[in-house]
Amino acid sequence: MAADRANMAIALLHYPVYNKRREVVTTALTNLDLHDIARSSRTFGLERFYIVTPSAEQRSLAERITGHWQEGWGADYNPDRREALGIVRICTDLKMAVDDLQAGFAKPVKTIITGAAQRPDSLSFPAFRQMLAEADQPYLLLLGTGWGLTDECFIAADHVLEPIAGAGSYNHLSVRSAAAIMLARLRGTQQEAL
Amino acid sequence: MAADRANMAIALLHYPVYNKRREVVTTALTNLDLHDIARSSRTFGLERFYIVTPSAEQRSLAERITGHWQEGWGADYNPDRREALGIVRICTDLKMAVDDLQAGFAKPVKTIITGAAQRPDSLSFPAFRQMLAEADQPYLLLLGTGWGLTDECFIAADHVLEPIAGAGSYNHLSVRSAAAIMLARLRGTQQEAL
């Protein structure tokens, strides 16, 4: 019998997000976001990492990045990168990512959105981790770029995950770092605290 | 009375580390390692993030990076970056980093080295977190670049921290992602698991 598919995936959305002036924009994807989050996702057993952007040019760039490391000297130089990039899927919009994840499950995909701000009725990390234990229920974790996903995105999502709490007033993790922490908390198997 | 100084700091070492052929090299520092780890460190209340490289040219580059965002258009554009870069110190070698951290404490600094491989007698995350509760005992967490710090570094360190465990055989977190996970586990205040 085939191994159970990992019931969590990550989508990194480049639109619709705010810029520093709270305008709704499409951000540019970065080579390093793609590599880092693919590696973190793979390390914690995910089978899908969706890069979502409405920009055709950006999707081409993403395909070149994932293709480059898949073939040619790039792939030979660092097979670890190739294996991580194998889980990347490039999507035009969130629906495309949801549909792809849905294909592996009977139960409807639920979206869990993330951000840096405190919001009412958000799910704690331990609570979400418990929900993930239901292996046939798929979850798509939504990460935003720029200054974060729009308020409409938060309203539309099925759940909101609590933000990662820092140690004081400064709380500006990069999306790469935030993704890694979320993955370790939700899919890690090590004891984290006594 | 002044607030207690954070008793943990991070040092990112660019030498001596292995390359993919297990030769001992000096790696090039990257703008993004510097920014990301500075932001993660600041978010979790650290007061020092040491960039360690024997290369004078690389130290100049680091100073330009941290200086650029401290003044001029860079600083104005994104004050969050400036605040994070304020904790960066650029060092020629590990001793310089240890000495800088030592200046804030009476007890001798202890070094805790990290890497991806399992090693005997390593400290678990919960155990190290407990040790950190002794607020006047300073610890310097050593992170390596390239293919990791040399065996000699591991022998010389006071303690070895257990590696971050992934979910399977693929375990290739970037140093940025690993640093974020370590910081969340050692300095985070949120409940991580039920």
Side-chain angles (χ1 to χ4, degrees):
Chain A
M1 192 172 177
D4 285 333
R5 188 170 236 199
N7 67 330
M8 186 175 107
I10 287 180
L12 181 66
L13 281 73
H14 296 81
Y15 172 88
V17 295
Y18 295 122
N19 65 7
K20 79 174 300 209
R21 286 179 301 275
R22 213 169 160 78
E23 295 159 338
V24 181
V25 297
T26 301
T27 58
L29 68 92
T30 78
N31 199 332
L32 214 71
D33 282 352
L34 207 154
H35 278 112
D36 264 25
I37 302 175
R39 287 164 71 183
S40 297
S41 297
R42 186 78 193 229
T43 293
F44 287 99
L46 298 201
E47 292 170 60
R48 286 291 189 272
F49 166 44
Y50 301 102
I51 291 277
V52 182
T53 176
S55 156
E57 186 190 327
Q58 292 279 293
R59 287 196 303 279
S60 295
L61 171 62
E63 278 165 31
R64 282 199 302 282
I65 293 170
T66 51
H68 168 67
W69 290 101
Q70 303 286 63
E71 288 133 24
W73 72 268
D76 298 326
Y77 182 74
N78 198 332
D80 299 330
R81 290 198 177 193
R82 175 158 42 100
E83 200 178 347
L85 292 177
I87 67 169
V88 176
R89 296 293 181 275
I90 299 152
C91 302
T92 306
D93 51 31
L94 177 57
K95 181 182 186 305
M96 205 168 142
V98 169
D99 289 348
D100 181 276
L101 181 59
Q102 186 67 75
F105 297 86
K107 290 185 179 175
V109 169
K110 292 192 183 178
T111 53
I112 317 276
I113 191 168
T114 68
Q118 283 287 355
R119 287 176 161 83
D121 302 320
S122 57
L123 222 50
S124 73
F125 277 95
F128 181 32
R129 189 175 170 123
Q130 274 221 311
M131 290 159 68
L132 281 165
E134 193 187 332
D136 58 354
Q137 172 59 58
Y139 292 97
L140 184 59
L141 195 65
L142 311 182
L143 271 61
T145 51
W147 267 253
L149 289 159
T150 62
D151 295 338
E152 289 71 26
C153 292
F154 278 86
I155 291 164
D158 293 304
H159 297 281
V160 178
L161 181 63
E162 64 173 338
I164 294 163
S169 60
Y170 182 93
N171 197 340
H172 298 284
L173 296 167
S174 68
V175 69
R176 292 167 295 284
S177 298
I181 293 169
M182 290 176 201
L183 282 159
R185 288 182 175 175
L186 299 169
R187 303 265 313 171
T189 51
Q190 272 166 307
Q191 192 184 359
E192 299 207 316
L194 285 172
Chain B
M1 195 173 175
D4 284 332
R5 187 170 239 197
N7 68 330
M8 185 176 107
I10 287 181
L12 180 65
L13 281 75
H14 295 81
Y15 172 89
V17 296
Y18 295 122
N19 65 7
K20 81 175 297 211
R21 286 179 299 276
R22 215 170 157 76
E23 296 159 336
V24 181
V25 298
T26 301
T27 57
L29 69 92
T30 77
N31 200 331
L32 215 70
D33 282 352
L34 207 156
H35 279 112
D36 264 25
I37 301 175
R39 288 164 72 182
S40 297
S41 297
R42 185 81 193 226
T43 294
F44 287 99
L46 299 201
E47 292 171 57
R48 285 291 189 273
F49 167 44
Y50 300 102
I51 291 277
V52 182
T53 176
S55 156
E57 186 190 328
Q58 290 280 295
R59 287 196 304 278
S60 295
L61 171 62
E63 277 164 35
R64 282 201 301 283
I65 293 170
T66 51
H68 168 68
W69 289 100
Q70 303 286 64
E71 289 134 21
W73 73 268
D76 298 328
Y77 182 74
N78 198 332
D80 299 329
R81 288 198 178 192
R82 176 157 41 103
E83 200 178 347
L85 293 177
I87 68 169
V88 177
R89 297 294 182 274
I90 299 152
C91 302
T92 306
D93 51 31
L94 178 57
K95 182 183 186 304
M96 205 168 143
V98 169
D99 288 349
D100 181 277
L101 181 59
Q102 187 68 75
F105 297 86
K107 291 185 178 174
V109 169
K110 293 192 181 177
T111 53
I112 317 276
I113 192 168
T114 69
Q118 282 286 354
R119 286 177 162 82
D121 302 320
S122 57
L123 221 51
S124 71
F125 277 96
F128 182 31
R129 190 175 168 120
Q130 273 220 313
M131 290 160 66
L132 281 166
E134 193 188 331
D136 59 353
Q137 171 59 58
Y139 292 96
L140 185 58
L141 195 64
L142 310 183
L143 270 60
T145 52
W147 267 254
L149 289 158
T150 61
D151 295 339
E152 289 71 27
C153 293
F154 277 87
I155 291 164
D158 294 305
H159 299 280
V160 179
L161 181 62
E162 64 173 338
I164 295 162
S169 60
Y170 182 91
N171 198 341
H172 299 284
L173 295 167
S174 69
V175 68
R176 293 167 294 285
S177 298
I181 293 169
M182 291 176 200
L183 282 159
R185 288 182 174 176
L186 298 170
R187 303 264 313 172
T189 51
Q190 274 167 305
Q191 190 185 358
E192 297 209 318
L194 284 175

